[in-house]
Every structure is written in C-alpha cells, then in structure tokens.
C-alpha cells in the first residue's frame, strides 16, 4: 500500500512539472540567449558559437526563408543613415565601450573627429563635381558612381592580403565580405553599362582615372587607419543610397513601364545566391530574395544594396566587429579553425601610435 501511494505521488509530480515546463519553453523562446543570431549575425556571443546550437540556427533560417518566399515581403530599408556618426555611438545614440574595454580617451575622440571631418570634406567635394557634370544625365552618373564604389573593396583586400603574407593577422571573414561587396558593385556597373551609362568616352575616361587615384588613396587610408577608410566608404555608400532614392522617387512611374535589365534578372533571381547573401552582414542568409518585374524593381534593389553596404561599413569601424553572415551556420568555425593566426595588438598606424601613447601614459602613472 505504501509503495502504491509513493508511485502515485511521483507520477502526479512528474505530470505537473512536465505540463508547467512546456509553456515556459514557448514563452521564453524570444528571450533565448542566442536570439541575436536571427537578426544580427555581425556579433556572435562567445556562449553562442557555431557548435552550441548548429541545428537550431539552420532550422531557424530555413523557416525564415520559407515564410519570406510565401509572403513575398518587400525589403525594408532604413530611410536615413548617419555617416557622420562616431563608431563609438550606436544607432540609438547610446555610447558604446571601445573594443579594448577602456573608456575612450580625449586623443582618440579628437582623432575620430579629424578623420570624419576629412572624409566628409572629400566626399562633399566629389559630390559637387558630380552634381555639376551629371545634373541631367542619370545613367552616366550611376556608371561613374558604380565604377568608383567598388574600388575601396579592392584596396581593402589588397592590404589584408599583404598583412596575411607578412603573417601579422588573417581575416577570412573580412576577405569574404569585401569580395562579395565588390561582386555586388560589379553587377551594378554591368547594369549601368547595359542601360548605356558608359556610351560617352569622357564618362569612361573620368571614372577610370578617378578609380585609379581612389584605389591608392583607399589603400593608404586603410594602412593608416582602417576605421577612417571604412567611414569614408560609408559616406560614399550613403551618397549612392540617397542618389538612387531620389531617382526612384522622381521617375518611379516611368521606370515601372520599362523592362528589367537582363543582368539584373540573372544576378538577383538566378544561380548561386551565396555571394548575394554574403555582403549583407546585418541580416541572416536566405532572408532577402528580390522580385524583378521591371526597371523600377531593378533600381529599388540597387538602392537597397547600397543600404546594406552602408550598414556593413559602419560595423567595420569597430575593430573585429565584422563577421560573415555564413560564419557559424554551416560549420564555418570548424572549417577556419586551422587558419587562425594571432592578431596584432593594433590595427593601422594611427591605432598603433594611440596605443603606444596610452601604454606610456599608464606606465608613468
């Protein structure tokens, strides 16, 4: 009799605990510690590595992609960006701690302000020249913009390859993302060529010579301060976003009557979409699949691409903050585990000087 009573009590406790446990799983799912993987694959907490919940992340992305394809949701792009913002301040205006965990010094704030002031001055100067030469020639202006826009990614990869050759550090994610960005900008350029943006020899001459100068300037700037180079690229991408957005608002109805570019249809809807997902570091893979029905859709997606570039360049301004959208979701960490070299203690000449001064000051104190 005692055994029967004891077993009844145990079964009652187990049934009540299991019934109370199931709702907690569903209610607390949104507060799961790896929830950031769904929205921002840029930053992966150490507790949420690829090996922690690989099946969870892969299933989650497949479900998101299926919902997106069934509902055919349009891509939502931020209306404005803040290219003048410091990398120490996030989009909500709250201060963030520097990567090394210490409070930002007055020297660093002054350097950041100087870098951004130079970038804004250079960008505004180029914009005034383009406004003067191409105020009524849209496709030619877009051709020049796209010829220039892909150049810094070539420069970044060149410097990163040099660092890797010297054995200083190896940045696989940076190389993958920057190559994907250059691949995206190349297709923008092919679209503008298909639309006749490169018909006049002067436009080709101007854009190509600006691109050569821009390459060496971007490479030198990246050697000097990667943060400054990324901010300058953010300013350029921000201008491209605004340019396309104004063009769409002004001539959207006319564009809807024109057929889509063949290059755009092939790039956005056909073939392997790995590189298309790779440059969009603020979103999970397979969550954006454009629909191209006319020329209006083409320019809308080009504008949205520029928005994604802008977000990626902003993330790059914090050292070590960039991560490939595919890293951690297809056992990427295991694949790259044997290719990791120890990072140097500083990035760029400016960062090395700043940390040297900081160390000297702390040793004196």
């Amino acid at each position: 009799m005692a055994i029967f009573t004891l077993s009844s009590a145990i079964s009652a406790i187990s049934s009540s605990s299991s019934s109370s446990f199931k709702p907690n799983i569903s209610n607390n799912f949104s507060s799961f510690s790896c929830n950031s993987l769904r929205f921002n694959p840029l930053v992966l907490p150490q507790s949420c590595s690829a090996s922690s919940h690989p099946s969870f992340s892969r299933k989650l992305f497949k479900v998101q992609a299926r919902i997106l394809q069934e509902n055919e949701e349009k891509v939502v792009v931020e209306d404005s960006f803040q290219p003048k913002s410091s990398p120490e301040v996030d989009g909500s205006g709250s201060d963030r701690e520097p990567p090394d965990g210490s409070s930002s010094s007055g020297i660093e704030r002054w350097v950041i302000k100087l870098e951004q002031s130079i970038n804004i001055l250079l960008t505004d100067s180029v914009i005034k020249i383009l406004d003067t030469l191409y105020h009524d020639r849209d496709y030619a202006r877009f051709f020049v913009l796209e010829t220039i826009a892909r150049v810094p990614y070539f420069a970044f990869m060149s410097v990163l390859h040099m660092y890797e050759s010297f054995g200083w550090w190896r940045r696989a994610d940076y190389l993958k993302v920057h190559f994907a960005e250059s691949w995206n900008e190349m297709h923008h350029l092919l679209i503008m060529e298909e639309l006749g943006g490169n018909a006049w020899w002067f436009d080709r001459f101007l854009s190509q010579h600006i691109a050569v100068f821009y390459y060496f300037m971007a490479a030198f700037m990246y050697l000097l301060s990667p943060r400054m180079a990324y901010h300058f690229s953010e300013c350029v991408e921000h201008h491209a976003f605004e340019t396309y957005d104004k063009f769409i608002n002004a001539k959207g109805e006319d564009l809807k009557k024109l057929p889509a570019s063949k290059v755009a249809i092939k790039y956005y809807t056909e073939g392997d979409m790995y590189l298309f997902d790779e440059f969009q570091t603020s979103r999970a893979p397979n969550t954006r699949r454009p629909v191209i029905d006319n020329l209006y859709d083409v320019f809308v997606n080009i504008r949205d691409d520029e928005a994604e570039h802008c977000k990626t360049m902003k993330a790059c301004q914090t050292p070590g903050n960039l991560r490939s959208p595919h890293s951690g979701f297809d056992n990427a960490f295991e694949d790259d585990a044997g290719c990791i070299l120890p990072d140097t203690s500083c990035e760029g000449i400016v960062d090395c000087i700043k940390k040297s001064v900081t160390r000297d000051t702390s040793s004196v104190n």
Side-chain angles (χ1 to χ4, degrees):
M1 184 68 179
I3 296 175
F4 176 78
T5 304
L6 179 61
S7 62
S8 301
I10 292 174
S11 62
I13 293 173
S14 62
S15 62
S16 62
S17 61
S18 62
S19 62
S20 61
F21 178 70
K22 291 180 180 179
N24 289 337
I25 294 178
S26 59
N27 294 336
N28 296 332
F29 180 76
S30 60
S31 60
F32 187 69
S33 60
C34 295
N35 189 38
S36 59
L37 292 176
R38 294 192 297 171
F39 300 100
N40 186 10
L42 271 174
V43 181
L44 284 175
Q46 294 180 355
S47 61
C48 303
S49 61
S51 59
S52 300
H53 304 280
S55 60
F56 170 78
S57 59
R58 284 195 291 269
K59 291 179 181 178
L60 184 59
F61 292 142
K62 292 179 180 177
V63 171
Q64 285 184 339
R66 188 175 298 112
I67 293 175
L68 184 67
Q69 292 173 359
E70 291 176 355
N71 298 338
E72 294 184 354
E73 298 177 359
K74 295 293 183 180
V75 178
V76 179
V77 183
E78 298 178 15
D79 293 334
S80 61
F81 299 90
Q82 301 295 331
K84 299 181 182 180
S85 61
S86 168
E88 299 172 290
V89 180
D90 59 16
S92 60
S94 60
D95 292 340
R96 294 188 301 178
E97 290 297 324
D100 58 2
S102 62
S103 60
S104 180
S105 63
I107 296 178
E108 184 177 6
R109 291 181 182 275
W110 181 84
V111 170
I112 292 175
K113 185 176 180 180
L114 177 62
E115 291 175 352
Q116 295 185 352
S117 299
I118 295 174
N119 290 340
I120 294 170
L121 177 63
L122 291 173
T123 307
D124 290 344
S125 300
V126 175
I127 291 174
K128 290 180 180 179
I129 296 175
L130 295 179
D131 289 340
T132 302
L133 296 176
Y134 298 100
H135 66 280
D136 58 348
R137 301 173 57 228
D138 295 318
Y139 291 162
R141 181 192 183 106
F142 298 154
F143 169 77
V144 174
L145 278 177
E146 297 301 342
T147 302
I148 297 173
R150 65 184 188 143
V151 168
Y153 306 120
F154 298 153
F156 299 161
M157 288 188 291
S158 297
V159 177
L160 289 172
H161 278 298
M162 183 190 70
Y163 287 159
E164 182 178 340
S165 300
F166 289 166
W168 291 350
W169 64 69
R170 181 170 292 165
R171 296 288 177 86
D173 281 359
Y174 280 68
L175 288 170
K176 287 195 297 183
V177 171
H178 291 332
F179 177 77
E181 288 180 298
S182 68
W183 186 257
N184 175 260
E185 298 288 9
M186 182 195 72
H187 283 85
H188 291 179
L189 180 61
L190 293 176
I191 293 171
M192 298 312 156
E193 291 178 350
E194 183 180 353
L195 296 175
N198 64 334
W200 192 23
W201 70 268
F202 175 79
D203 299 326
R204 300 193 300 272
F205 178 88
L206 179 65
S207 61
Q208 292 167 1
H209 284 74
I210 292 177
V212 172
F213 173 79
Y214 188 20
Y215 171 83
F216 289 103
M217 187 192 78
F220 175 77
M221 190 180 293
Y222 198 72
L223 283 169
L224 187 67
S225 173
R227 177 184 58 208
M228 182 179 182
Y230 285 133
H231 179 263
F232 186 80
S233 293
E234 183 189 357
C235 293
V236 174
E237 300 294 356
H238 176 257
H239 170 68
F241 173 86
E242 287 186 334
T243 302
Y244 286 118
D245 192 57
K246 292 177 181 177
F247 177 72
I248 292 170
N249 294 331
K251 300 184 178 181
E253 295 302 323
D254 296 333
L255 294 174
K256 292 178 182 179
K257 302 175 183 178
L258 299 175
S261 162
K262 294 180 181 179
V263 175
I265 294 175
K266 184 175 182 180
Y267 174 68
Y268 285 113
T269 63
E270 300 175 3
D272 187 4
M273 304 296 286
Y274 181 91
L275 289 177
F276 179 74
D277 292 332
E278 182 67 20
F279 82 93
Q280 303 179 71
T281 57
S282 65
R283 61 171 66 244
N286 302 318
T287 55
R288 180 189 169 200
R289 289 296 177 263
V291 177
I292 306 295
D293 294 327
N294 47 50
L295 198 57
Y296 176 83
D297 294 335
V298 173
F299 278 99
V300 166
N301 280 281
I302 292 176
R303 180 201 63 184
D304 295 349
D305 290 346
E306 304 299 349
E308 297 297 334
H309 285 299
C310 202
K311 296 173 188 176
T312 301
M313 290 298 96
K314 186 176 182 63
C316 287
Q317 293 171 47
T318 301
N321 195 38
L322 181 68
R323 184 165 296 282
S324 164
H326 296 92
S327 293
F329 308 121
D330 293 318
N331 298 324
F333 285 124
E334 286 83 350
D335 295 340
D336 294 340
C339 301
I340 299 176
L341 293 178
D343 289 350
T344 55
S345 59
C346 58
E347 297 188 5
I349 298 175
V350 172
D351 189 48
C352 291
I353 295 175
K354 184 207 71 174
K355 290 186 176 180
S356 177
V357 172
T358 304
R359 283 195 297 267
D360 293 341
T361 305
S362 60
S363 62
V364 171
N365 296 335

